[in-house]
Amino acid sequence: MSVVSYTESGWDTQEERWDDWEDEEMNMPMKCLFCTHMFQSPILLFRHVKQSHGFDFLKTRTELGLDFYQSMRVVNYIRTLGMSDPNFGSVSGFVLDGSEAFINDDAYLKPAIAEDSLLYALDELDLDDTASVGSCSADSSARTPKAKDPESPRERELLACIRKLEQQVGLRERENKFIADQFDEYRQMVKRQFYDGIDTGAKQDDSSVDGNQPEEGSDYYFNSYAGNDIHMQMLQDKVRTEGYRDFMYGNKDLFQGKVVLDVGCGTGILSMFAARAGAARVIAVDNSDIIHKARANVIENGLDGVITLIKGRIEELELPVPQVDIIISEWMGYFLLFEAMLDSVLVARDRFLAPGGLLAPSASYIYVTAISDT
């Protein structure tokens, strides 16, 4: 049985996988039809049966045209004889002529030995090779016995069970492929959103931004936020944008006359909300080139007298004030933590937030629910 885990090839489930079960069955030792010798393959087993006990099972099977179910009955019948007669192991020259009643007796479809792995190997044997003991079929992908249409109720019941298992396996394989495709699509989307197009944007003069810091060319994370697309996507998220706006506009008493720090300001939208909510001063910090567009937005809205923009990492720079009253930030990413910005917000809180100050948002939750038991 497998445990819940993730590998590069995909997800493993807690249920036993079909291919694992199949391999375990085929690798289990197989007991000789007549004696107690054990073998790892049907080829070796039937070679031993022919040489030591004089019964050429595969040749007999081919000459009599025995199908999978009849072959199963033969195996179970011989095993039943061995269990009822202690001296059966010394038998030599066991033969069948096809007239035996047990060949079509459904009672012998029931395994004489529990979990008899030889029965699972019967449909793998190559019936076309009459010159040798036989070989394993090269095509082991199909587990359906290569037999004539079932005639008895028991044969039809066994075939129905096999078909049902095959359908379940096919469904599971499709589900696994769907999950793998969805994960790959998500991974490609994240790559496009955050990492593609890095270093393709033109460098802009940072001299007009207070506290200019030299850009690190290898800083993929911040470079990925320099373009317009990702910010347009966030701004068009009405729940996100209007949620921040409504919070600040609905609590203007909290912002009136206060000093506000916007960590990761992006296009400056939250800084402008804070300024319009009555903040005396807003310090907007971002380490990507998007801050140039934020400055243009601030000037366009006539808020450059309230908002100060600083380019740099909040962990490294010094603010023009020793403390701030409020810290705002839109740091949440996919599954809340993906953008890895929370650490920067906590650093800003520890370094600059005044005692009794407000961190917004100050709490967040991840809700997880099971959607399947497979």
Side-chain angles (χ1 to χ4, degrees):
M1 301 293 286
S2 60
V3 298
V4 176
S5 62
Y6 178 72
T7 67
E8 293 182 357
S9 60
W11 290 94
D12 289 335
T13 67
Q14 286 182 326
E15 295 186 4
E16 191 171 17
R17 294 170 50 196
W18 171 270
D19 51 357
D20 290 341
W21 174 84
E22 179 179 298
D23 290 342
E24 289 174 2
E25 293 290 354
M26 298 307 296
N27 290 330
M28 289 178 60
M30 304 174 189
K31 182 177 180 295
C32 172
L33 294 176
F34 296 91
C35 63
T36 59
H37 284 75
M38 305 296 289
F39 302 88
Q40 289 295 327
S41 76
I43 296 175
L44 297 178
L45 185 150
F46 287 120
R47 179 179 297 142
H48 163 80
V49 168
K50 179 181 179 181
Q51 295 175 351
S52 300
H53 303 284
F55 178 48
D56 193 336
F57 176 88
L58 293 182
K59 183 178 180 181
T60 299
R61 183 182 183 184
T62 301
E63 291 178 346
L64 297 181
L66 302 181
D67 63 23
F68 173 80
Y69 305 103
Q70 291 171 328
S71 300
M72 182 183 294
R73 293 186 183 101
V74 171
V75 170
N76 289 324
Y77 175 76
I78 295 175
R79 292 207 186 285
T80 301
L81 293 179
M83 295 169 64
S84 61
D85 183 0
N87 298 320
F88 187 72
S90 59
V91 170
S92 62
F94 184 85
V95 294
L96 296 176
D97 59 17
S99 63
E100 293 80 3
F102 71 83
I103 293 179
N104 295 299
D105 187 347
D106 284 354
Y108 291 100
L109 288 176
K110 181 179 180 180
I113 300 177
E115 299 185 3
D116 189 351
S117 56
L118 178 58
L119 298 178
Y120 297 101
L122 290 177
D123 64 315
E124 297 293 334
L125 300 174
D126 186 358
L127 303 184
D128 294 330
D129 187 357
T130 58
S132 65
V133 180
S135 61
C136 289
S137 171
D139 180 11
S140 60
S141 60
R143 296 294 301 166
T144 306
K146 301 174 181 60
K148 65 182 182 181
D149 293 337
E151 297 177 353
S152 69
R154 181 60 176 168
E155 289 176 352
R156 288 192 290 270
E157 180 183 353
L158 286 173
L159 184 60
C161 291
I162 292 173
R163 299 298 188 197
K164 184 177 180 181
L165 285 173
E166 289 177 338
Q167 292 175 359
Q168 292 175 350
V169 170
L171 178 61
R172 180 62 53 79
E173 289 176 348
R174 289 193 294 272
E175 289 175 346
N176 289 342
K177 184 178 186 301
F178 174 77
I179 293 173
D181 290 345
Q182 289 290 309
F183 180 79
D184 185 65
E185 181 179 342
Y186 169 76
R187 183 174 55 188
Q188 293 300 323
M189 183 272 293
V190 171
K191 179 178 182 294
R192 290 193 302 270
Q193 291 286 350
F194 290 93
Y195 300 110
D196 285 357
I198 291 172
D199 293 332
T200 59
K203 300 295 183 179
Q204 300 190 32
D205 184 5
D206 297 338
S207 59
S208 61
V209 182
D210 297 337
N212 175 45
Q213 298 288 334
E215 180 182 13
E216 297 180 7
S218 62
D219 199 342
Y220 291 173
Y221 175 81
F222 293 107
N223 282 337
S224 68
Y225 281 88
N228 293 327
D229 291 346
I230 188 171
H231 293 282
M232 181 180 296
Q233 182 183 19
M234 290 188 288
L235 289 172
Q236 289 175 342
D237 184 346
K238 293 185 63 175
V239 174
R240 164 196 175 276
T241 304
E242 294 179 2
Y244 278 91
R245 180 200 65 188
D246 294 346
F247 163 71
M248 286 184 262
Y249 285 8
N251 296 278
K252 291 185 177 181
D253 56 313
L254 297 178
F255 287 83
Q256 192 67 40
K258 299 298 177 61
V259 178
V260 179
L261 170 62
D262 182 2
V263 179
C265 67
T267 57
I269 185 67
L270 301 190
S271 297
M272 291 186 283
F273 286 158
R276 293 194 182 279
R281 185 173 188 180
V282 180
I283 302 169
V285 177
D286 203 296
N287 196 39
S288 77
D289 285 341
I290 194 65
I291 200 167
H292 300 289
K293 297 181 178 67
R295 181 175 180 81
N297 292 335
V298 168
I299 294 174
E300 180 70 20
N301 285 272
L303 298 172
D304 48 315
V306 179
I307 302 175
T308 300
L309 293 103
I310 302 176
K311 185 175 188 296
R313 296 171 58 89
I314 194 68
E315 293 87 349
E316 301 169 356
L317 56 78
E318 295 295 333
L319 299 183
V321 295
Q323 291 183 323
V324 298
D325 303 301
I326 301 173
I327 294 178
I328 57 174
S329 178
E330 205 291 84
W331 55 267
M332 289 81 74
Y334 296 107
F335 202 64
L336 190 64
L337 302 175
F338 178 81
E339 292 182 27
M341 189 177 163
L342 178 59
D343 290 347
S344 297
V345 174
L346 297 179
V347 169
R349 177 199 64 184
D350 296 341
R351 292 187 64 194
F352 302 115
L353 188 61
L358 174 65
L359 177 65
S362 59
S364 56
Y365 304 89
I366 296 178
Y367 293 95
V368 179
T369 185
I371 62 173
S372 175
D373 61 356
T374 58

